Amino acid sequence: MSRLTHVSLFVLAGLAGASAGALVDGSPHAAARSRHELVALANELARRHTQVERGDGTRRAEAEAAEDDVSREGPALDELIEHEREIAERRAAVITAAAERETLDPSWSAAAEHRIAEGLAAHGPPGVALVSSTCKTTLCIVELVHPPGDPGTEHVNWLPVFGLPRGFFVRHPPQPGRHARTMAYLARKGYSLPLAESNRRGPERWLVQGINWSRKERR
Amino acid sequence: MKSETRLNDHGRLVTVIVACVGLTLGGVVMQGLGPRIAMAGDNKILPAHACQPEEDPEYTIFSARYLENDLGAEQTYWCPVLRDDTQSELEFVRVRVENRGSSYKRPECTVHSVSVGGTFTDSEYEESPSTTGFFSLEFPLNGFTEYDNGHFVIECTLGDEDRILSYRTNESP
């Protein structure tokens, strides 16, 4: 609770006490004195408000400055992006391995693959083509290729297109001789995508070039 | 005169006692409420007015109670999620919507966790039942990756005359 609130409650309690005292002591002189005390307390409240607001402002400014310092000392944007790429590649590998280990649920996989193809044809962006889609029991992996000149950066909400509730999406920018691609790792309704570290729960930490990184996943 | 002074002294004494009792009780109450107030800070409920329509805002009705799609067709809205801590987790998201059933399209929302570079996205999708009425779209965000320094955003698509009332996020450090 902020110092301002503490001070306000303190003064309000004082005001309440003074009021109660005035009620108990009913003489006109006492009432006048109580009024005087109330005015004095109100002035004190205003004065302390000003002090605390100034103090809070100073502390806020100091905290913001400290945060700015931390930000400046933090990893550079290109380092963050590079590390994200490493994490995403590892996660994609884990999901791919999990999908390969899954047995085939023919009643679901064929219908899911069909729906993915139908959804893309009906609601997908023009020119984006399905390279492959593989569904097993709880997971699907879909590869899409974008048309020439399309960097693949346009936002598409793929989940309603494919009719599945959870997904992890990786954009691959165009390379020389290769169009942009999007990889979609999808989970069946009622299931989650596997974690990169299947035996761990909670924050993961790496020390990369002296910088602490963390990523959090939950089951 | 003397008795009046005694009475005034008595009044002052009572005043001091009442003030002390008030302060003590206040301290006890503050002590008890303190942690709850701190926890409540991680829960945020935002009115739908925080959401931005993808089309011209002219085709959205904003009232004190809701945001309503007035485009005459389905329309997408983007609702920001405030991340107090750049490395925090999003525990859950709930979006309160009203399906008014005036089109085949029912309200649907997707929570996106976007990496810093925007190359990787984790998404979770929910849609309201086809019946009309108020619904809370729940996103437990299981197996969801929250990218340090990345951002969260909620994408909602509404049928004509459907509404978003508010959305709630819970962030844990």
Side-chain angles (χ1 to χ4, degrees):
Chain A
M1 190 173 285
S2 74
R3 200 172 138 201
L4 181 64
T5 315
H6 276 108
V7 170
S8 301
L9 285 172
F10 175 85
V11 176
L12 283 173
L15 285 170
S19 304
L23 285 173
V24 171
D25 185 354
S27 74
H29 293 297
R33 267 198 306 277
S34 293
R35 274 197 300 276
H36 180 73
E37 284 166 5
L38 281 171
V39 170
L41 278 167
N43 289 338
E44 179 67 10
L45 173 65
R47 191 177 67 78
R48 290 195 181 205
H49 258 286
T50 310
Q51 279 180 351
V52 170
E53 274 170 4
R54 278 183 194 150
D56 279 356
T58 309
R59 277 196 302 278
R60 261 199 306 276
E62 285 169 358
E64 282 166 8
E67 194 167 315
D68 286 349
D69 285 344
V70 169
S71 302
R72 278 195 290 273
E73 287 169 6
L77 182 61
D78 55 350
E79 289 176 335
L80 279 170
I81 291 171
E82 174 58 21
H83 187 66
E84 279 179 350
R85 191 183 59 75
E86 290 170 13
I87 292 171
E89 283 177 358
R90 201 150 60 91
R91 187 167 190 222
V94 167
I95 297 172
T96 304
E100 284 170 357
R101 284 195 302 272
E102 278 195 337
T103 54
L104 189 72
D105 176 356
S107 65
W108 178 75
S109 65
E113 288 172 7
H114 179 72
R115 186 167 178 182
I116 287 167
E118 292 286 303
L120 180 66
H123 307 292
V128 175
L130 186 65
V131 176
S132 64
S133 74
T134 306
C135 298
K136 294 295 218 37
T137 300
T138 70
L139 298 170
C140 291
I141 299 178
V142 175
E143 182 177 359
L144 304 166
V145 65
H146 295 263
D150 177 359
T153 51
E154 183 193 352
H155 172 74
V156 179
N157 193 0
W158 291 112
L159 293 177
V161 169
F162 296 148
L164 291 166
R166 292 193 176 93
F168 166 57
F169 301 92
V170 180
R171 297 167 196 260
H172 294 276
Q175 303 288 334
R178 194 170 190 190
H179 302 316
R181 289 179 305 126
T182 296
M183 292 298 299
Y185 302 87
L186 306 157
R188 183 177 182 174
K189 190 175 177 65
Y191 295 88
S192 300
L193 290 169
L195 303 176
E197 300 288 330
S198 58
N199 293 326
R200 295 183 63 177
R201 188 182 171 90
E204 295 177 11
R205 295 224 159 253
W206 292 269
L207 194 64
V208 180
Q209 295 172 349
I211 302 162
N212 269 312
W213 305 79
S214 72
R215 177 176 57 114
K216 293 162 278 286
E217 290 181 316
R218 290 190 304 280
R219 286 178 192 281
Chain B
M1 193 68 180
K2 234 177 190 178
S3 86
E4 189 181 323
T5 308
R6 262 203 311 274
L7 195 63
N8 290 342
D9 287 347
H10 176 70
R12 276 201 203 97
L13 182 64
V14 171
T15 302
V16 169
I17 290 168
V18 169
C20 287
V21 169
L23 284 169
T24 307
L25 288 174
V28 170
V29 169
M30 281 157 53
Q31 188 77 12
L33 288 180
R36 286 183 211 170
I37 291 166
M39 277 173 65
D42 296 325
N43 276 282
K44 300 178 192 71
I45 298 177
L46 277 87
H49 304 73
C51 305
Q52 295 290 316
E54 207 163 60
E55 304 295 332
D56 193 326
E58 183 187 343
Y59 302 111
T60 298
I61 297 169
F62 292 96
S63 88
R65 293 185 296 130
Y66 53 76
L67 160 166
E68 180 178 318
N69 173 22
D70 194 37
L71 184 65
E74 68 182 62
Q75 181 170 199
T76 297
Y77 292 85
W78 293 94
C79 310
V81 175
L82 178 65
R83 195 175 191 182
D84 282 333
D85 181 345
T86 56
Q87 298 187 353
S88 66
E89 290 185 40
L90 205 52
E91 288 294 317
F92 65 78
V93 170
R94 290 179 190 144
V95 185
R96 289 189 62 204
V97 296
E98 184 181 2
N99 181 8
R100 303 186 73 211
S102 39
S103 71
Y104 74 93
K105 185 75 181 180
R106 59 180 92 167
E108 61 181 35
C109 296
T110 306
V111 178
H112 300 287
S113 169
V114 185
S115 67
V116 177
T119 308
F120 314 108
T121 310
D122 265 70
S123 304
E124 196 166 310
Y125 165 83
E126 292 290 337
E127 64 180 352
S128 75
S130 55
T131 50
T132 57
F134 295 95
F135 300 100
S136 180
L137 302 181
E138 303 270 348
F139 298 87
L141 307 177
N142 294 324
F144 206 65
T145 300
E146 287 105 345
Y147 299 92
D148 289 354
N149 299 287
H151 67 269
F152 308 116
V153 67
I154 304 168
E155 176 183 7
C156 289
T157 302
L158 303 180
D160 188 34
E161 297 183 9
D162 287 343
R163 295 168 174 169
I164 305 173
L165 285 81
S166 64
Y167 59 103
R168 175 176 173 174
T169 60
N170 182 274
E171 186 184 15
S172 69

